[in-house]
Amino acid sequence: NMAAPPITAEELEDLREAFTKIDVDNDGVISKDELDAVLKAANLSLPGYRVREMIQELSKSSEELNFDKFTEIVHGLKSAEVAKTFKKAITKKEGICNVAGTSEQTGTQHSYSEEEKVAFVNWINKALEKDPDCKHVLPMDPNTNDLFTAMGDGIVLCKMINLSVADTIDERTINKKKLTPFTIQENLNLALNSASAIGCHVVNIGAEDLKEGRQHLVLGLLWQVIKIGLFADIELSRNEALIALLRDGESLEDLMKLSPEELLLRWANYHLEEAGCGKINNFSNDIKDSKAYYNLLNQVAPKGDEEGIPPIAVDMSGLREKDDLKRAELMLDQAERLGCRQFVMPTDVVRGNPKLNLAFVANLFNKYPALKKPENQDIDWSSIEGETREERTFRNWMNSLGVNPRVNHLYADIDDALVIFQLYEKIKVPVDWDRVNKPPYPKLSSNMKKLENCNYAVELGKKEAKFSLVGIAGQDLNAGNRTLTLALLWQLMRRYTLNILEDLGDGQKVIDDTIVSWVNDNLTRAGKSTISSFKDGSISTSMPVLDLIDAIQPGSIRYDLLKTEDLTEEEKLNNAKYAISMARKIGARVYALPEDLVEVKPKMVMTVFACLMARGLRA
Ligand SMILES: *[C@@H]1O[C@H](CO)[C@@H](O)[C@H](O)[C@H]1NC(C)=O
Ligand SMILES: *[C@@H]1O[C@H](CO)[C@@H](O)[C@H](O)[C@H]1NC(C)=O
Ligand SMILES: *[C@@H]1O[C@H](CO)[C@@H](O)[C@H](O)[C@H]1NC(C)=O
Ligand SMILES: *[C@@H]1O[C@H](CO)[C@@H](O)[C@H](O)[C@H]1NC(C)=O
């Protein structure tokens, strides 16, 4: 005789709703004869004789039928006869809450998913549990709207961004004490510009949306931030053991082209195959019965063959459970023993919520990849290169503009130039979409179709954008020639940046010198040293950047936190981290990384000053 699973918060809400419907005078008690009505209101159908029996039973005691008694009764039923109908009653509701009028521009209704909110709240509560700076809002209650209020001052969001991509936000730049509307605004700027810098698409979301807790926007941004963190290590260059997933006849390059989602699916199937089970095609329909999950957990659980990690034997008896929801609950109990009960509730498994199940699996992978780097002689390890800082910056930049598909691998994912065309549109170069081949490409001529696109992309660059593309052909983009692809991407990013300045300056043409002289003018008037160009050696200390920030927003830089002379490499990096975060905090959407300043990379240095100038012109 199995104990009934506890009533979830969501179910409880449904029961409460039903109870209030019947409890018309609102005194918290209903008549025992109304049991039938309240069960019906909760969509729990029982045969009439059963209900009559229960009412008889109730009337023997002097206890009143209040809400607690009602849930107790339902809990008793849950293990037995109504389990099926109960499940139906709650799965009927898709868990989508409608929020009216959250977007003033369009007046449309936006919906957000209640279960996502619950999942993210639990994840954040755990991730920031020990962070003293979040004590004022944590732990949040997943059953309320705590999350949306808690996000309002920007601190939690900054922390989550920094957890997803370590060292993105300099601790010193977050305003933590005695918050005012102004310092909150700064935190939100810092959060949004940093989110953008790690590749979140933040074009349609502003500080106001966070401050006012617009649910669908907050959840959308959080999901992006969390996903970037979860996916960070699902990448061959970060985890060479992923080579174990290579299939016969496949090259390393093929494997490296897979998106994190594809790699996860392959990883799950690798373990399922080892367990002698059938494959799954997705983390929605195919995992609803928890059977694949059971086998996956069993495969990846520590076996005691690694020093210092005690074995955990997964109890598979729940596989015999007939009811999907109960089986899911039992499976999650096992996940809990592995410390991996995250993101999904039993109902999310049974409904196959794709987003939350993806997160569940990604987290499981991160904790227990259970892959061994094969001792294969044929593998050329040197060909597995991680991406360079420059490549990452370009990739984050285009992703933050919302290109579709998202670019996971710089060269492979733009080999059909579709993303390049979207970037052309962002810099106001018109694209004739009739000339563009679109996926799915025919199998036999797929590369030819992509190449045609690449040729057109180069043509647009030369003729319309007037880029300098000497010696670049469509072939180079298509084949992913690094140097030449980067040359095109740089010109796109540069033009994008200059366009912003030109728009602010009423269309006046802007070149590098325009920026240098604006910067120097501002620095001079503030009584600071100037720069000779974007290659000026003094930039490696970040002082010119910091001085400019302080000139644009006087008093913003805390010089007492900085070393300004005779800096070691470490101190330079320390200044640079502070400078980049401060730039974002005063409202400049900077994509460059601290190392770019320390090493005085002229291109990235140019973008930093250009973004600050844009911020200055907007002031
Ligand atoms: C960001 O992450 C780095 C490295 O993990 C850490 O040193 C720093 O304190 C973190 N900053 C914030 C604001 O949490
Ligand atoms: C998941 O895969 C199954 C086949 O294994 C398919 O029937 C189903 O439509 C897929 N669901 C989604 C959402 O892709
Ligand atoms: C990329 O193109 C440049 C210039 O044409 C050439 O020198 C280089 O060898 C190419 N790289 C690869 C990997 O083909
Ligand atoms: C620097 O530029 C900003 C923005 O244009 C302006 O508000 C500020 O006064 C300037 N600083 C100095 C010292 O001129």
Side-chain angles (χ1 to χ4, degrees):
N1 235 342
M2 214 169 16
I7 293 182
T8 67
E10 202 183 347
E11 293 164 4
L12 205 59
E13 222 179 276
D14 290 355
L15 295 182
R16 169 81 64 189
E17 206 179 293
F19 192 86
T20 351
K21 248 188 229 162
I22 306 302
D23 181 19
V24 281
D25 60 359
N26 218 5
D27 65 353
V29 180
I30 58 174
S31 145
K32 289 169 185 170
D33 293 326
E34 285 174 313
L35 183 64
D36 195 21
V38 73
L39 286 171
K40 284 211 174 94
N43 272 318
L44 301 169
S45 59
L46 281 183
Y49 77 92
R50 269 297 282 134
V51 181
R52 282 193 296 276
E53 271 175 23
M54 287 162 67
I55 294 175
Q56 253 173 19
E57 192 69 29
L58 275 174
S59 31
K60 279 186 208 150
S61 113
S62 59
E63 226 184 320
E64 288 183 314
L65 183 48
N66 57 19
F67 183 67
D68 284 350
K69 182 70 194 167
F70 175 50
T71 49
E72 192 191 303
I73 292 170
V74 173
H75 189 233
L77 289 170
K78 213 177 155 187
S79 59
E81 54 259 77
V82 293
K84 275 252 156 56
T85 53
F86 194 87
K87 192 193 79 192
K88 250 188 240 133
I90 56 164
T91 42
K92 194 168 51 95
K93 250 179 68 177
E94 272 312 319
I96 301 278
C97 301
N98 280 310
V99 188
T102 41
S103 172
E104 267 132 32
Q105 301 96 321
T106 60
T108 50
Q109 287 218 339
H110 291 286
S111 57
Y112 76 93
S113 129
E114 187 68 25
E115 51 264 36
E116 264 174 45
K117 183 193 77 183
V118 172
F120 298 168
V121 165
N122 289 331
W123 180 249
I124 296 171
N125 277 345
K126 188 131 192 282
L128 301 177
E129 187 176 38
K130 299 202 177 76
D131 194 319
D133 300 328
C134 299
K135 287 256 180 304
H136 64 304
V137 284
L138 259 50
M140 300 174 277
D141 180 348
N143 300 311
T144 64
N145 278 343
D146 270 10
L147 174 69
F148 305 112
T149 344
M151 299 289 284
D153 67 16
I155 297 178
V156 165
L157 191 53
C158 283
K159 296 283 179 168
M160 289 307 294
I161 290 167
N162 199 57
L163 275 184
S164 279
V165 181
D167 251 342
T168 300
I169 297 184
D170 189 305
E171 195 75 57
R172 294 168 289 184
T173 58
I174 303 180
N175 300 319
K176 295 169 184 170
K177 299 252 156 63
K178 300 200 198 95
L179 293 176
T180 65
F182 178 77
T183 55
I184 286 175
Q185 177 73 34
E186 285 190 323
N187 280 351
L188 295 171
N189 286 343
L190 178 60
L192 285 170
N193 289 327
S194 303
S196 179
I198 64 167
C200 296
H201 177 38
V202 290
V203 167
N204 295 318
I205 175 167
E208 282 306 307
D209 300 313
L210 296 178
K211 222 181 302 176
E212 286 166 20
R214 301 217 164 115
Q215 287 109 327
H216 67 293
L217 292 175
V218 169
L219 288 181
L221 180 59
L222 267 179
W223 169 237
Q224 294 191 63
V225 170
I226 291 173
K227 191 157 90 165
I228 286 171
L230 284 172
F231 282 4
D233 288 328
I234 309 178
E235 162 74 49
L236 210 49
S237 62
R238 309 265 286 207
N239 188 343
E240 289 185 348
L242 282 167
I243 291 200
L245 305 180
L246 201 62
R247 288 185 188 146
D248 280 347
E250 207 175 40
S251 73
L252 212 48
E253 272 189 337
D254 296 329
L255 193 63
M256 281 160 78
K257 282 181 186 169
L258 298 183
S259 68
E261 287 92 339
E262 289 165 327
L263 274 172
L264 274 182
L265 194 56
R266 202 180 262 224
W267 170 75
N269 280 325
Y270 169 88
H271 284 300
L272 290 176
E273 196 176 324
E274 296 273 294
C277 306
K279 276 176 40 172
I280 55 172
N281 288 314
N282 48 50
F283 297 121
S284 51
N285 252 9
D286 289 4
I287 50 82
K288 286 180 175 177
D289 63 9
S290 300
K291 290 180 182 165
Y293 277 167
Y294 255 117
N295 285 296
L296 185 54
L297 290 172
N298 194 33
Q299 286 296 311
V300 303
K303 303 290 184 288
D305 45 13
E306 254 177 282
E307 216 177 313
I309 305 175
I312 303 176
V314 173
D315 176 358
M316 305 285 279
S317 64
L319 275 174
R320 289 194 297 271
E321 166 61 48
K322 295 271 187 306
D323 180 68
D324 279 350
L325 193 65
K326 287 189 199 161
R327 195 183 315 113
E329 176 62 44
L330 293 169
M331 180 278 293
L332 288 176
D333 286 345
Q334 298 306 309
E336 176 142 38
R337 295 179 53 228
L338 296 182
C340 291
R341 187 183 179 135
Q342 283 291 347
F343 293 109
V344 289
M345 298 284 182
T347 45
D348 302 321
V349 175
V350 171
R351 287 176 195 160
N353 180 316
K355 204 182 266 186
L356 297 179
N357 280 289
L358 179 68
F360 171 75
V361 176
N363 183 51
L364 186 63
F365 171 88
N366 288 330
K367 280 230 159 129
Y368 301 102
L371 293 174
K372 281 227 163 48
K373 190 167 129 181
E375 316 263 323
N376 195 320
Q377 50 295 346
D378 305 338
I379 290 168
D380 175 13
W381 298 97
S382 68
S383 69
I384 308 174
E385 290 170 56
E387 68 182 342
T388 64
R389 281 201 324 264
E390 190 184 18
E391 288 163 350
R392 180 148 40 108
T393 304
F394 285 143
R395 204 164 56 76
N396 287 343
W397 166 67
M398 51 183 86
N399 283 331
S400 79
L401 296 180
V403 294
N404 182 21
R406 187 180 172 84
V407 178
N408 294 304
H409 306 291
L410 192 58
Y411 305 102
D413 293 351
I414 63 175
D415 71 349
D416 61 359
L418 279 189
V419 164
I420 306 281
F421 293 127
Q422 294 167 54
L423 295 174
Y424 276 133
E425 293 200 315
K426 306 265 180 218
I427 59 162
K428 297 177 218 155
V429 167
V431 174
D432 176 4
W433 286 98
D434 289 338
R435 279 193 62 185
V436 176
N437 302 315
K438 295 166 201 81
Y441 305 106
K443 250 205 166 79
L444 288 176
S445 57
S446 130
N447 208 51
M448 197 191 77
K449 296 283 176 201
K450 292 179 178 181
L451 184 56
E452 281 172 7
N453 282 355
C454 291
N455 287 334
Y456 179 40
V458 171
E459 181 190 318
L460 277 177
K462 286 181 177 160
K463 291 200 184 134
E464 300 288 332
K466 305 275 188 289
F467 286 162
S468 153
L469 296 174
V470 183
I472 302 187
Q475 170 61 26
D476 299 308
L477 277 187
N478 179 245
N481 179 309
R482 295 190 166 215
T483 330
L484 298 177
T485 306
L486 290 177
L488 172 61
L489 291 178
W490 163 243
Q491 294 186 67
L492 282 161
M493 185 175 184
R494 177 186 152 80
R495 180 70 57 83
Y496 179 83
T497 310
L498 294 179
N499 276 0
I500 293 176
L501 288 176
E502 287 171 2
D503 288 348
L504 289 166
D506 296 326
Q508 259 186 347
K509 186 142 183 65
V510 174
I511 55 171
D512 282 10
D513 283 348
T514 327
I515 304 170
V516 173
S517 41
W518 185 89
V519 167
N520 283 340
D521 190 35
N522 206 288
L523 284 173
T524 308
R525 275 193 272 161
K528 311 280 185 176
S529 315
T530 57
I531 53 168
S532 55
S533 70
F534 299 133
K535 294 180 185 154
D536 195 317
S538 70
I539 293 167
S540 81
T541 66
S542 295
M543 289 318 291
V545 177
L546 292 160
D547 286 340
L548 182 63
I549 293 170
D550 202 59
I552 292 173
Q553 191 171 301
S556 59
I557 296 297
R558 292 203 35 204
Y559 286 94
D560 58 315
L561 299 175
L562 301 167
K563 187 135 186 272
T564 55
E565 276 165 49
D566 304 322
L567 287 88
T568 63
E569 285 305 302
E570 199 184 325
E571 287 160 346
K572 285 181 183 172
L573 189 60
N574 201 32
N575 280 4
K577 285 180 187 170
Y578 181 66
I580 296 286
S581 280
M582 279 306 299
R584 292 176 183 150
K585 180 178 174 178
I586 68 161
R589 185 152 290 181
V590 170
Y591 292 90
L593 294 166
E595 290 82 352
D596 297 324
L597 291 179
V598 175
E599 294 168 21
V600 199
K601 297 282 184 200
K603 290 176 187 166
M604 289 302 151
V605 167
M606 175 263 177
T607 63
V608 172
F609 283 112
C611 290
L612 284 170
M613 177 175 167
R615 164 63 182 78
L617 293 178
R618 255 186 279 133

